[in-house]
Amino acid sequence: MADLALERESSEFRKGVQAGVSIGVGYFPIALTFGLLAKTSGLSIYETVFMSLVVFAGASQYISLSLIAYGTSVYEIILTTFIVNIRHFLMSTTLNEKSEEDHLLNKLFYSFGITDETFSVAATKEGTISTGFMLGLNSVAYSSWVAFSGVGHLIGASLPQTLQESMSVALYAMFIGLLVPSMKKSVKVIFLAVLGAMFNIIFTIAEIMAQGWAIVTATLLAAIIIELVEVFKRSPRGGRNEE
Amino acid sequence: MKSEIIWMIIGMGLVTYIPRMLPFVLFKGKELPPFIQGVLKNVPYATLGALIFPAIIFIQEDDIWYGVLGAAAAFIVAFLGANVIAVVLGSIVVLALYSYLS
């Protein structure tokens, strides 16, 4: 039995690695640019790699660089990081519902690797998510992020401009690649995505709130509104139609 | 390494990790109310919509059509049933061709 369990874990790990390849590709240009910008902001290569190792959150790492350059206090930089990354709370709550029964420590370990991208892959995956899958997924994303941050600092240059620009679409294309199969299967998914996008467009363009809050608020509004519509649709007949 | 930067990075790491791990502790073995469970099931798709738009439109600040073309390419390739990697590579190639030709 122990052998069987071990075998399953390793095949789950492999599935996670495969699912993470597009994240690895997508992180490549962003991490490279981060390394380059860190260098121009005066961070040493050790500090740059250390930040990618410890924080592992792209947007907030970029923001911290511009704040360092601006001479912002350490306290304020940490506070900004917190606000930018608070959306992970919602993502972890969602993944917690979907995760297989396992030791809490294992979950605490893989929760370190939850980013917009690993979350999107894990959350749109069919069925439950295992620790092996999460570790496989995280390891590709994490090593790409950390390694290419260092490489970017080391070579001190980014990719040729045309390539750099065209690769900047990679992560968004990945999000679209994850979303569309579900959109084809369910009208509800289309409504959710369109509503989430619309709210975020409004919040961003009107500059009502900081970017970290805009995504969380847009997501929650869309998810709650659609759920209310579902409940309302189900209620008059009393019977619950399970999907 | 400068110690002020090191402490800053450790602080950033902590405040990033806490929201990531906290739900696994808070909601461990707890059955959430059905309405909340329903909302959480909706979250991935609503998040994806918000992560894609409007950011993809502004990947090239001086040329909105660049982002629009990238988005269109990704949606078409994905709609045709390609896997995620093909969607990523396909849209990169389309944009590389676009900048090469213009």
Side-chain angles (χ1 to χ4, degrees), chain A residues 16-186:
Chain A
V17 169
Q18 281 163 358
V21 171
S22 44
I23 304 180
V25 174
Y27 279 175
F28 168 65
I30 306 174
L32 213 61
T33 311
F34 172 73
L36 171 71
L37 288 179
K39 186 179 192 174
T40 54
S41 311
L43 260 61
S44 75
I45 184 159
Y46 302 107
E47 291 162 347
T48 305
V49 173
F50 187 63
M51 192 193 280
S52 286
L53 272 171
V54 172
V55 183
F56 188 41
S60 57
Q61 288 183 224
Y62 268 97
I63 292 169
S64 78
L65 291 183
S66 51
L67 293 180
I68 291 170
Y70 196 70
T72 312
S73 74
V74 166
Y75 171 75
E76 233 176 296
I77 293 177
I78 294 173
L79 188 68
T80 308
T81 306
F82 179 65
I83 291 169
V84 171
N85 289 329
I86 209 146
R87 68 181 181 285
H88 294 137
F89 185 87
L90 187 58
M91 298 182 179
S92 287
T93 308
T94 305
L95 288 186
N96 180 51
E97 290 287 303
K98 210 173 144 74
S99 64
E100 284 173 16
E101 202 63 42
D102 200 351
H103 203 283
L104 179 63
L105 284 181
N106 288 339
K107 296 187 178 184
L108 293 187
F109 182 58
Y110 72 63
S111 73
F112 172 77
I114 293 171
T115 63
D116 294 346
E117 293 75 22
T118 55
F119 164 76
S120 302
V121 170
T124 53
K125 177 184 175 287
E126 304 255 322
T128 57
I129 43 177
S130 64
T131 303
F133 180 84
M134 284 309 288
L135 291 180
L137 183 66
N138 288 349
S139 58
V140 185
Y142 190 57
S143 37
S144 169
W145 180 251
V146 173
F148 291 121
S149 305
V151 172
H153 191 288
L154 206 64
I155 60 176
S158 56
L159 298 168
Q161 207 199 347
T162 320
L163 189 61
Q164 173 77 26
E165 283 172 3
S166 50
M167 279 197 84
S168 62
V169 80
L171 289 177
Y172 302 110
M174 183 187 83
F175 292 142
I176 292 172
L178 291 170
L179 179 61
V180 168
S182 308
M183 286 175 97
K184 282 162 81 173
K185 275 185 249 162
S186 143

Side-chain angles (χ1 to χ4, degrees), chain A residues 47 56 92 108 114 184 200, chain B residues 2 16-17 20 50 53 79:
Chain A
E47 291 162 347
F56 188 41
S92 287
L108 293 187
I114 293 171
K184 282 162 81 173
N200 195 37
Chain B
K2 276 173 264 153
T16 305
Y17 181 57
R20 281 172 171 162
F53 295 103
F79 195 78

Side-chain angles (χ1 to χ4, degrees), chain B residues 7 22 31 66 84 101:
Chain B
W7 285 116
L22 208 53
E31 181 91 356
Y66 192 86
V84 177
L101 294 174

